[in-house]
Amino acid sequence: MSEFINHGGQSRRAFLVGTAAAGAALLAPAAAQAANERIVYANWGGSWEKAMRRAWADPFTKESGIQVVSASDNSLGRLQAMEQAGKVEWDLMEGLPELARVGAEKGLLEKLDFSIINRDGIMKRPEFFNDYSIPEVIFGRVLIYDKRLPQKPTSWASFWDIKTFPGKRAFYNKVESGILEAALLADGVPADKLYPLDVDRAFKKLAQIREHIIWYTTVTQSEQIMREGQATMGLLADGRALSVKSGGAPVEVAMDVSLLTWSVFVVPKGAPNKEAAMRFLAFVLDEHRQTAIAMAYNYGPVVPAAWKAIPKDRYNLISGGPEAEKTAIFLNADWWTANLQPVTEKFQQWLLG
Amino acid sequence: MLLAPALVLLAGLLVWPVAELSLRSFADPAGPLVFYERLISVPSYLQILLRTLMFSAGTALLCLLLGYPVAYALANAGPIARGVILIAVMLPFWTNLLVRSYGWIIFLSPRGVLNEALLWLGMIRQPLDLIYNVQGVLIGMTQIMLPYMILPLYAVMTRLDRRLPDAARSLGAGPIATFFKVYVPLTMPGAMAGLLLVFTISLGFFVIPALLGGAKGLMIAQLIEFNINSSLNWGMASALSVTLLATTLAIFWIGDRWFNLGAIWGIER
Amino acid sequence: MSLRLLARPLLGAIVFAVCAYLVIPTLIVVPISFTQTDYISFPPEGFSLQWYETFLGAGPWRNATLNSFLVAAISALLATVVGTSAALGLHRLPRALARLAIWIVLLPMVVPSIIMAVALYGAFASLDLIGTRIGLILAHALLTLPFVVINVSAVMQKMDWRMVDAARSLGASPNKAFWKVTLPSILPGVIAGLVFAFLTSFDEVVVALFVTGIDSVTLPVQMWNGIRFEISPAVAAASTMLLLLSIFALAAYGAARRVGRSAPEGMNA
């Protein structure tokens, strides 16, 4: 750039033109620079991203030559904002089950190409099958607690018992993350009578411990809050909870106090490289890849055949396994899809009020 | 002619985009003021607006409280002490906002540096709640805005006519009386300029409340972001933006007229 | 007089405490960046340079840093050329008009960054500039323009314009008079403005959050993601590097000012 400064005799106009021209040369469109084929995968980040890379992305790149690039903030809002701005960058996105249905209703998703993706191996739960998504992994939302508490919490009711279990409680600030279910179970609603959720009753129950709640806004933050002892109990995704524990923090995970759910993969409408995204999805559903993720992150495989290669002693650590499924409660994605918007609005009002 | 490139840049990237944004706030088919009506009728919106005003006022007052002694020391210290204080004031001013926010996260967390130190010293038994709440926002914003208070105060204090306090002293006023009756009133213009500047800039803060505020520390800028990125309500985001912008510009205009705010940026009347 | 004796150490203690408050969050990142653990812990456990390897090795951190340098360099140059030209133009305007024009040129500094971000996001969406470097460069050129104008204007106010008149009367063309007389005498202000513009662009996060895409992520955006979504000590390593950059820029700016001896007193000191 020093050449501009040396051209002392130049007129000002030429100076400006020169700057602009040099600038333009440096500004070749970003897309043209990405020579290798790649997919952009919006995910939850943190310890999960590391495990996902080991179990899925790296082997996929090795096999296909397609790079997998991670993006943050895998929210529906962010996707919709991108679509509105006319610039969709993601090829692939993971999210909660509601994502597939709400996203499809709003016309934000591509239909998946099932001539590339083989769904035959997937666990035969009807809610796992639709045109716009495949299930990714099964995971639980579990109770994690500080080992220094005077007693061991045994149920969601312990969560509400500040006297016996002093300290803060960590909740995700997304209403569909099992908060209401935990509140109702703690309030004595039997597990088989949970749905349709009595939303008002749940908020009333939540209000009892309002002052003691720390809301985490990202899932990585949930790990930090428990690791640092900011809260003594939390409702966390089990993979995150186990990651905190294996990191050496003085916490314990009550795997039996758990709400089971699953995550899904979708492909945004207008994804720049949806073809490669479909290939990645096909790759991920392979039984060995499902075993690999279960071993790397303790999330349950959605392909039952994957359990064959998983050692028995890990069964009770991995979500949705033969052991855990007996006591666990599945979150009802149908109810949530139908009620997500009004309940979210109510939740936000409640947070501020 | 020489101004032309700047005006083109301003017209294309400031005037046009902001005008277009403003128009969207009146563009509801149900009527031009629908979004503004919602702004005052939905309790949570109003609450966040009020909270934004209160956080900004609190930051401004804290800055005055903490900044006044520092400015006084700067104006009255020897060259070495002045140099050291100036570096302490200017270094954070030149440091990335995210670096400082991250520093606060490390420092103020329940298991952060401060709490661990206090626990170790036996001064507290439970970690203090200093982050992800109102305290976190005020601590973070005050630290960032302090230079904006100290520098105008310092400028006024160095220009102050030293003879006036001296005269008051020679007329028999005690040191405390002289300080509060003569010195403080003489430095009021600097204090007012600083208060206005800090208050107004604080209104638009986004990064600090987002990183240090938690759910309780929400301010208007986050509400704008939320309406764009999560609830996709451009109309509402625009109405909030227009409200924030009008308030900001009005205060700057008043500040410039009555308190010569422009002098802070070296604009002479 | 005994009060005075008491007041001095008290003032000293307060000033020391406020200075510590200003500096602590900036410096605390340094020890954290050498931790062995892959989360933040204090005191840091062990000693390792792994986070600097993460930061400097091939990958998102290095890409973001290079991208930030590119964007900051080009936008600062652009702002310096446009801003210097504007400052010269402002100088020639009649006083009343100049005052208005100055405020217009300073608007990008006054408008809250969240509003600039949302407005530019909307405008860039219709121009198909989202996720491009050119969009971000233009936006940053606009945002840093006021700092150049302020710094150059400040030097011009103190400059001896008779020199230019003398050169002209000796037969120098307007162009020649500019390059041989005007530019050399305002150069300290121009360089100070350039440094300030570079650092402002390098640090800018709110507008960048909205208008960058996966291939134009800047270092502050990467840090934002790192803080919100990763909580990884790589942010501490990045922060330490940014701190060094700030110290370097502050020194360069101070040197430019000392040569100019006349850059504005006040917030940009």
Side-chain angles (χ1 to χ4, degrees):
Chain A
M1 254 146 265
S2 61
E3 64 186 291
F4 301 136
I5 293 159
N6 298 335
H7 290 179
Q10 243 174 337
S11 79
R12 212 162 28 243
R13 186 172 320 203
F15 182 89
L16 284 171
V17 171
T19 312
L26 278 162
L27 294 168
Q33 288 169 5
N36 295 338
E37 202 183 350
R38 65 164 191 192
I39 52 174
V40 177
Y41 169 14
N43 61 58
W44 273 299
S47 54
W48 158 250
E49 198 244 351
K50 268 190 205 151
M52 174 284 290
R53 231 163 233 297
R54 232 181 12 250
W56 290 346
D58 290 345
F60 177 71
T61 304
K62 218 167 164 190
E63 192 185 281
S64 65
I66 300 169
Q67 301 287 328
V68 179
V69 179
S70 283
S72 310
D73 197 8
N74 54 328
S75 65
L76 184 68
R78 187 82 194 144
L79 171 65
Q80 208 170 345
M82 280 203 286
E83 304 239 2
Q84 255 185 14
K87 181 98 186 172
V88 175
E89 294 192 309
W90 300 340
D91 298 299
L92 196 59
M93 178 184 176
E94 66 191 14
L96 298 178
E98 294 78 34
L99 171 68
R101 309 185 187 203
V102 179
E105 271 169 30
K106 297 197 174 194
L108 298 171
L109 305 179
E110 292 282 350
K111 279 194 178 165
L112 298 185
D113 184 349
F114 293 110
S115 67
I116 301 177
I117 305 164
N118 178 1
R119 290 196 280 191
D120 294 348
I122 297 178
M123 196 188 288
K124 298 285 176 278
R125 291 184 71 96
E127 61 268 44
F128 282 179
F129 294 86
N130 57 58
D131 290 348
Y132 296 93
S133 76
I134 57 161
E136 181 183 26
V137 286
I138 293 173
F139 71 99
R141 300 192 176 278
V142 295
L143 195 159
I144 175 173
Y145 60 93
D146 197 315
K147 273 203 285 204
R148 291 166 292 192
L149 280 175
Q151 282 181 44
K152 257 173 99 158
T154 49
S155 69
W156 294 114
S158 316
F159 219 87
W160 264 257
D161 185 354
I162 306 285
K163 271 218 183 76
T164 322
F165 307 96
K168 301 268 186 197
R169 309 292 193 250
F171 274 140
Y172 200 2
N173 76 340
K174 290 204 164 32
V175 72
E176 67 272 31
S177 65
I179 306 168
L180 301 185
E181 285 85 347
L184 291 171
L185 289 168
D187 208 26
V189 176
D192 55 338
K193 298 257 160 53
L194 261 182
Y195 297 96
L197 295 180
D198 184 343
V199 177
D200 291 328
R201 181 171 173 185
F203 280 127
K204 214 176 262 169
K205 185 72 180 170
L206 272 176
Q208 291 176 2
I209 54 166
R210 180 181 205 125
E211 296 308 310
H212 304 275
I213 300 175
I214 300 180
W215 299 98
Y216 56 89
T217 46
T218 64
V219 280
T220 42
Q221 211 180 19
S222 71
E223 289 187 48
Q224 188 193 19
I225 287 171
M226 292 314 299
R227 188 186 300 118
E228 292 181 349
Q230 294 185 37
T232 55
M233 262 192 241
L235 173 56
L236 263 67
D238 49 4
R240 303 281 167 178
L242 291 167
S243 153
V244 177
K245 187 183 167 192
S246 64
V251 296
E252 196 49 70
V253 183
M255 291 300 287
D256 50 341
V257 188
S258 146
L259 301 161
L260 273 192
T261 182
W262 70 97
S263 60
V264 298
F265 270 125
V266 298
V267 174
K269 184 153 262 170
N273 201 356
K274 60 181 175 193
E275 177 81 22
M278 305 288 172
R279 283 175 61 191
F280 182 78
L281 294 185
F283 182 80
V284 157
L285 280 184
D286 175 83
E287 134 189 7
H288 303 291
R289 293 299 113 215
Q290 288 281 313
T291 307
I293 198 69
M295 297 302 287
Y297 209 66
N298 299 313
Y299 277 173
V302 293
V303 173
W307 284 103
K308 285 186 302 200
I310 298 173
K312 287 267 184 307
D313 60 324
R314 291 187 71 109
Y315 271 27
N316 63 344
L317 277 182
I318 296 173
S319 335
E323 303 283 321
E325 209 170 7
K326 283 177 215 153
T327 46
I329 299 156
F330 251 94
L331 295 185
N332 186 330
D334 286 332
W335 188 88
W336 273 110
T337 305
N339 294 285
L340 187 60
Q341 204 168 355
V343 177
T344 301
E345 268 165 31
K346 210 166 195 170
F347 176 62
Q348 260 143 14
Q349 282 292 335
W350 183 84
L351 271 184
L352 290 162
Chain B
M1 183 54 212
L2 286 163
L3 272 167
L7 293 179
V8 169
L9 201 60
L10 282 158
L13 293 179
L14 184 97
V15 179
W16 171 60
V18 171
E20 205 180 45
L21 179 72
S22 310
L23 284 178
R24 288 190 195 212
S25 73
F26 303 105
D28 195 275
L33 293 177
V34 168
F35 294 118
Y36 292 93
E37 278 160 22
R38 273 201 72 194
L39 209 67
I40 22 185
S41 60
V42 176
S44 56
Y45 279 129
L46 200 60
Q47 216 162 4
I48 292 178
L49 292 185
L50 285 177
R51 191 186 292 164
T52 305
L53 292 175
M54 273 162 55
F55 283 179
S56 303
T59 304
L61 289 175
L62 278 172
C63 280
L64 182 61
L65 215 62
L66 298 179
Y68 200 91
V70 177
Y72 182 84
L74 265 180
N76 294 289
I80 296 174
R82 181 184 302 139
V84 172
I85 300 173
L86 262 182
I87 288 177
V89 175
M90 294 320 297
L91 181 67
F93 192 63
W94 278 72
T95 312
N96 189 305
L97 191 62
L98 291 168
V99 173
R100 291 188 275 168
S101 310
Y102 186 68
W104 281 130
I105 293 176
I106 294 169
F107 192 70
L108 297 176
S109 286
R111 296 283 162 190
V113 180
L114 182 65
N115 273 314
E116 289 290 350
L118 293 177
L119 285 169
W120 185 77
L121 289 170
M123 289 170 75
I124 52 169
R125 299 169 110 209
Q126 286 288 320
L128 303 171
D129 259 341
L130 295 171
I131 196 170
Y132 309 124
N133 50 25
V134 181
Q135 295 92 297
V137 177
L138 286 178
I139 291 173
M141 297 219 307
T142 304
Q143 195 257 359
I144 282 170
M145 295 313 297
L146 254 176
Y148 292 87
M149 175 64 80
I150 292 174
L151 295 172
L153 271 175
Y154 171 49
V156 168
M157 285 174 180
T158 45
R159 264 177 298 178
L160 197 86
D161 191 344
R162 291 248 135 238
R163 283 168 307 180
L164 286 170
D166 288 347
R169 294 277 286 131
S170 71
L171 290 173
I176 297 179
T178 307
F179 182 76
F180 284 104
K181 292 236 162 92
V182 182
Y183 195 82
V184 170
L186 283 173
T187 54
M188 273 308 278
M192 282 310 293
L195 280 175
L196 272 178
L197 195 63
V198 172
F199 177 77
T200 318
I201 298 179
S202 300
L203 289 176
F205 259 56
F206 174 73
V207 171
I208 291 292
L211 294 180
L212 307 181
K216 292 268 165 202
L218 219 59
M219 289 176 72
I220 186 171
Q222 290 159 277
L223 204 56
I224 294 173
E225 192 265 353
F226 178 82
N227 270 295
I228 297 282
N229 275 338
S230 296
S231 62
L232 298 150
N233 193 338
W234 269 89
M236 209 58 224
S238 307
L240 287 162
S241 299
V242 169
T243 309
L244 174 60
L245 183 62
T247 315
T248 306
L249 291 182
I251 299 176
F252 269 123
W253 184 73
I254 292 170
D256 186 45
R257 273 203 81 120
W258 279 296
F259 305 103
N260 194 18
L261 211 54
I264 293 161
W265 290 309
I267 303 165
E268 305 212 340
R269 278 194 188 242
Chain C
M1 268 302 130
S2 64
L3 253 166
R4 254 228 131 81
L5 285 173
L6 190 75
R8 276 210 152 286
L10 185 68
L11 179 69
I14 294 174
V15 171
F16 180 80
V18 176
C19 287
Y21 167 66
L22 281 168
V23 172
I24 278 173
T26 316
L27 298 184
I28 198 93
V29 296
V30 178
I32 299 292
S33 66
F34 296 106
T35 189
Q36 251 172 10
T37 52
D38 61 359
Y39 47 89
I40 307 165
S41 65
F42 201 91
E45 290 163 36
F47 176 88
S48 122
L49 293 174
Q50 57 167 322
W51 300 110
Y52 288 90
E53 282 166 29
T54 307
F55 179 74
L56 296 168
W61 285 99
R62 190 166 75 182
N63 292 345
T65 309
L66 293 177
N67 196 39
S68 273
F69 268 108
L70 188 71
V71 168
I74 300 175
S75 68
L77 268 177
L78 188 60
T80 304
V81 173
V82 175
T84 305
S85 158
L88 289 165
L90 284 172
H91 185 78
R92 291 182 194 168
L93 286 180
R95 207 155 176 72
L97 197 57
R99 207 175 142 60
L100 177 72
I102 282 178
W103 273 111
I104 294 174
V105 172
L106 295 191
L107 267 181
M109 194 170 71
V110 174
V111 176
S113 53
I114 186 74
I115 293 178
M116 289 305 310
V118 173
L120 286 169
Y121 185 59
F124 283 3
S126 54
L127 296 174
D128 208 13
L129 280 176
I130 290 186
T132 64
R133 285 200 198 96
I134 187 125
L136 186 64
I137 286 169
L138 287 173
H140 279 183
L142 174 80
L143 291 178
T144 55
L145 180 71
F147 301 111
V148 177
V149 175
I150 287 172
N151 279 289
V152 176
S153 295
V155 176
M156 276 180 5
Q157 275 165 14
K158 312 268 162 83
M159 175 183 150
D160 189 353
W161 287 92
R162 283 169 306 182
M163 298 266 292
V164 184
D165 297 339
R168 292 280 284 129
S169 68
L170 289 174
S173 69
N175 263 331
K176 194 154 189 176
F178 172 78
W179 290 105
K180 297 280 175 199
V181 183
T182 312
L183 188 59
S185 31
I186 61 170
L187 198 59
V190 175
I191 290 174
L194 180 75
V195 172
F196 207 96
F198 180 88
L199 201 69
T200 306
S201 162
F202 204 87
D203 281 349
E204 201 285 325
V205 60
V206 182
V207 172
L209 272 179
F210 276 82
V211 306
T212 54
I214 201 97
D215 292 305
S216 55
V217 164
T218 60
L219 186 55
V221 173
Q222 176 71 16
M223 286 179 68
W224 170 270
N225 290 340
I227 296 173
R228 293 215 78 176
F229 302 101
E230 302 292 331
I231 331 266
S232 129
V235 180
S239 297
T240 307
M241 306 297 272
L242 275 176
L243 190 60
L244 287 176
L245 179 78
S246 299
I247 292 171
F248 179 74
L250 185 55
Y253 184 82
R257 263 203 59 200
R258 261 192 301 286
V259 175
R261 283 183 161 275
S262 39
E265 291 294 329
M267 61 172 276
N268 300 308

